[in-house]
Amino acid sequence: MHFHTSQNSQSCLLASSVAVLQAEKRGSSTGVGVGELIWPSPSDGTPFWKKDFPSSGVSPEVFADVKDSDPKHIIHVTAEMAPIAKVGGLGDVVTGLARACLSRGHTVDIMLPFYECIQKQHIKDLTVITKYNSYHDGNWVPTTAYRGVVSGIPVIFIEPSNLFFKGQYVYGGSYNELEAYLFFSRACLEWMQQVTSTQPDIIHVHEWQTGALPLLYWDIYHHLSLKKPRIVLTIHNMEHYGECSKEQLSKSGLEGSVYASIDKAVDDRTIGHNPERLSLLKGGIVYSNAVVYFGILNGIDITMWNPATDIFLPVKFNDQKPEGKKFCKYYVQRGLGLASEGTQDGNHVPDITYKAPLVVCITRLVPQKGLHLISHAIKHIEELGGQMVILGKASDVRVQTEFEGLAKLHNQGPCIRILLMFSDELSHMLYAAADMVLVPSIYEPCGLTQMIGMRYGAVPVVRKTGGLADTVFDMDDQSNHNKANGFVFEGIDEGSLNCALDRAFTYFREKPDEWNGIIKKVMEVDNSWNNTAGKYVELYHSI
């Protein structure tokens, strides 16, 4: 991916870049090893986020001082897991919760489709457990179960012999996705019945993709040999219902027409239509022992998201030694063509008087995330003399086309980069580089972006909704002064967003001491899974 670097980009360079360059001339006088850095360029053959990184030796013993009495055996059944099969926040939540419960003394497994796109080098001790058959559409499909360890967590991978889960990406293969997850849901239960010698206490399912598992459990497998488990469903995103026909559900071995009632799985939005449709998410809600949506605020995995040890950062930093953050910012600016390479040449350091805050927005490009506000922010941040980087993909062709047009318009300029892709490596670097993280969601049950941004010293600018309102408190709200840690707006209009950005830019430029105080404060916030995991454990015990 190549970008043109304009001479005008000097007007968008942050003044702290001068410090970077001066430190570079002096060598490693800052103690962060800047003299050893090789600054990237947009003309490099390999983008800076695709270079080889050291492997991460992640230990699950994050909260080893917290041990629960009466530990449980928990199996998560999920479509995503960070970092090997991550598309959105679902993958982060599953990994973070699993690791936290492991550290509290519980036995935890994750069951995941063995997507063809998974990079096997990230799996430790990958071995075949067994080969077995699982039902789908009148046939028993030969299936292989593997066991491995990812980020210190035991994972069971389910691989059918048909075309399910084949393709370059987690989602969007040439197979029928809904039927693939119906198969996966049953295959996990079939494996538990055929292979496991000990039944789990809890089967924790996530999102619509595994919404059929509670139906299959209670109406088939509980009548066979699986008697012990209880089911928890976590809903991360109400945008997708898992809309399903009766005929499709019947392919799992259930009689689809039995579930076409209001008290079971009929999609209420289709009542009176011809034909009426089913919702796997609704079926999961009805058939689960407990459902979590607004009730428990998620945390972030502070082992995976740690600027002091992050393998993807060119320079590490923490709340006590935050100096490395400005080097991460300049590294990203250089790599994306947001800083003129000429500024490093010879003895000339440009007289930079314009401070340019870097605003980062890392998101799925879907209506929930406030698409009209994201596209407006591009214009307003440029008008304010700031820089913005958007990292994300759209599943809707029209949205993708709109943002491709914005990228074509802005990506050759000095201030805006729109990167329509997903990259876990680049997301780590962008959080570390960001002065601000923008989360203008229309609704957000929890939200991880603002928590991760704070962990990396990026001040959140968010819309007041759901979990964003629970974790970010406005700097100018005198009634909440002790909690103040960001900039909040309430409306869904462009003017409300403008006001929040204007105030954030004013603090950045005119109140540097207060701004540095905010950075230190947000980095010290405990958004770990420790407390959250405890609430999930209480829920597990209650059912």
Side-chain angles (χ1 to χ4, degrees):
M1 188 172 295
H2 297 280
F3 305 102
H4 173 69
T5 306
S6 160
Q7 290 299 316
N8 292 335
S9 63
Q10 293 181 14
S11 67
C12 288
L13 236 174
L14 175 65
S16 64
S17 297
V18 176
V20 175
L21 296 171
Q22 290 172 340
E24 187 177 9
K25 288 185 176 184
R26 294 193 301 268
S28 300
S29 59
T30 62
V32 293
V34 177
E36 301 171 6
L37 273 181
I38 299 174
W39 300 105
S41 165
S43 61
D44 292 343
T46 302
F48 63 90
W49 63 88
K50 289 188 176 181
K51 70 175 187 178
D52 291 331
F53 295 97
S55 60
S56 175
V58 176
S59 166
E61 299 298 317
V62 182
F63 312 116
D65 56 326
V66 180
K67 295 293 182 184
D68 294 317
S69 59
D70 189 18
K72 301 296 184 188
H73 181 193
I74 305 147
I75 294 183
H76 290 272
V77 180
T78 176
E80 294 185 32
M81 178 193 182
I84 59 168
K86 174 187 167 181
V87 176
L90 167 60
D92 288 309
V93 169
V94 170
T95 300
L97 177 57
R99 198 203 309 282
C101 288
L102 270 173
S103 72
R104 296 171 76 105
H106 300 272
T107 301
V108 183
D109 295 292
I110 291 176
M111 298 194 75
L112 185 73
F114 207 166
Y115 298 105
E116 185 178 39
C117 63
I118 287 178
Q119 296 182 334
K120 295 181 177 65
Q121 67 268 26
H122 295 311
I123 307 170
K124 282 184 62 178
D125 305 325
L126 182 64
T127 55
V128 173
I129 306 172
T130 188
K131 295 180 182 291
Y132 67 106
N133 296 323
S134 191
Y135 182 88
H136 178 71
D137 196 16
N139 300 300
W140 288 88
V141 179
T143 302
T144 304
Y146 300 79
R147 182 179 289 279
V149 177
V150 177
S151 299
I153 304 165
V155 183
I156 299 152
F157 298 93
I158 301 299
E159 182 181 57
S161 57
N162 58 19
L163 290 176
F164 290 162
F165 310 117
K166 300 291 192 292
Q168 290 182 287
Y169 306 104
V170 170
Y171 302 130
S174 57
Y175 54 89
N176 185 299
E177 211 161 70
L178 186 137
E179 292 183 18
Y181 288 115
L182 285 172
F183 169 85
F184 171 66
S185 296
R186 177 154 186 175
C188 289
L189 292 169
E190 193 69 37
W191 180 84
M192 291 179 208
Q193 177 177 261
Q194 288 192 32
V195 181
T196 52
S197 57
T198 305
Q199 296 188 22
D201 298 290
I202 300 292
I203 301 173
H204 194 151
V205 300
H206 299 264
E207 297 287 63
W208 71 265
Q209 288 94 335
T210 50
L213 188 146
L215 285 68
L216 289 158
Y217 174 72
W218 288 112
D219 286 353
I220 296 180
Y221 287 88
H222 188 67
H223 296 291
L224 299 173
S225 62
L226 287 177
K227 304 293 187 183
K228 186 179 181 182
R230 294 296 178 262
I231 312 293
V232 174
L233 165 65
T234 293
I235 302 170
H236 304 258
N237 182 358
M238 285 292 288
E239 185 181 351
H240 301 291
Y241 291 75
E243 189 175 308
C244 177
S245 70
K246 290 178 284 190
E247 292 75 20
Q248 284 176 309
L249 184 58
S250 294
K251 291 184 179 184
S252 71
L254 296 168
E255 179 53 57
S257 59
V258 171
Y259 299 89
S261 62
I262 293 176
D263 62 336
K264 289 192 175 179
V266 75
D267 187 334
D268 296 53
R269 300 170 303 169
T270 69
I271 292 174
H273 294 194
N274 185 18
E276 294 179 348
R277 305 281 286 176
L278 306 180
S279 163
L280 295 184
L281 189 62
K282 179 181 174 180
I285 292 169
V286 171
Y287 276 76
S288 294
N289 296 97
V291 178
V292 179
Y293 185 49
F294 288 106
I296 298 178
L297 191 66
N298 289 325
I300 59 171
D301 188 327
I302 62 170
T303 302
M304 187 174 294
W305 297 104
N306 184 357
T309 60
D310 195 323
I311 60 172
F312 301 123
L313 304 190
V315 180
K316 314 295 189 280
F317 61 94
N318 58 34
D319 59 328
Q320 298 302 314
K321 295 183 178 180
E323 298 84 8
K325 183 171 176 64
K326 66 174 174 280
F327 295 100
C328 291
K329 177 177 179 178
Y330 185 60
Y331 188 88
V332 166
Q333 286 175 315
R334 285 288 299 269
L336 293 179
L338 293 171
S340 172
E341 295 178 35
T343 60
Q344 187 190 3
D345 186 43
N347 296 320
H348 175 67
V349 174
D351 180 20
I352 300 171
T353 58
Y354 211 92
K355 292 184 176 181
L358 177 61
V359 182
V360 164
C361 183
I362 301 174
T363 184
R364 293 178 300 114
L365 293 172
V366 295
Q368 171 202 344
K369 302 298 183 180
L371 294 177
H372 69 291
L373 295 174
I374 294 171
S375 57
H376 175 74
I378 295 169
K379 176 183 176 183
H380 193 64
I381 288 168
E382 190 167 26
E383 288 173 347
L384 291 173
Q387 296 181 332
M388 184 177 189
V389 179
I390 297 171
L391 177 65
K393 288 178 66 174
S395 54
D396 184 280
V397 174
R398 290 169 298 179
V399 174
Q400 183 76 6
T401 301
E402 176 189 346
F403 276 85
E404 284 173 353
L406 289 170
K408 187 175 182 181
L409 181 65
H410 291 283
N411 276 5
Q412 301 306 313
C415 298
I416 307 295
R417 294 293 178 265
I418 301 168
L419 310 176
L420 299 176
M421 61 182 182
F422 172 77
S423 168
D424 192 47
E425 298 86 349
L426 182 55
S427 67
H428 282 250
M429 295 178 178
L430 289 178
Y431 283 121
D435 295 301
M436 305 170 198
V437 58
L438 176 64
V439 194
S441 303
I442 304 304
Y443 64 93
E444 194 67 72
C446 174
L448 299 178
T449 302
Q450 80 282 9
M451 297 185 191
I452 297 170
M454 288 192 282
R455 174 84 164 151
Y456 282 68
V459 177
V461 180
V462 307
R463 185 170 170 272
K464 190 175 184 178
T465 182
L468 301 175
D470 294 332
T471 53
V472 182
F473 305 94
D474 196 88
M475 287 298 299
D476 295 325
D477 180 2
Q478 296 304 315
S479 65
N480 240 341
H481 183 71
N482 290 336
K483 289 186 175 181
N485 60 1
F487 298 88
V488 180
F489 63 99
E490 294 195 27
I492 59 172
D493 58 292
E494 297 170 351
S496 296
L497 171 61
N498 287 353
C499 182
L501 287 170
D502 292 349
R503 290 188 295 116
F505 272 52
T506 298
Y507 267 82
F508 181 92
R509 287 175 171 152
E510 299 177 13
K511 303 177 181 179
D513 291 339
E514 290 183 57
W515 183 263
N516 290 330
I518 306 173
I519 293 174
K520 183 173 175 59
K521 188 173 186 178
V522 298
M523 292 188 74
E524 292 173 345
V525 172
D526 181 7
N527 285 318
S528 73
W529 271 102
N530 199 11
N531 294 329
T532 299
K535 293 175 183 175
Y536 269 106
V537 169
E538 290 174 9
L539 178 67
Y540 294 154
H541 281 292
S542 74
I543 62 171

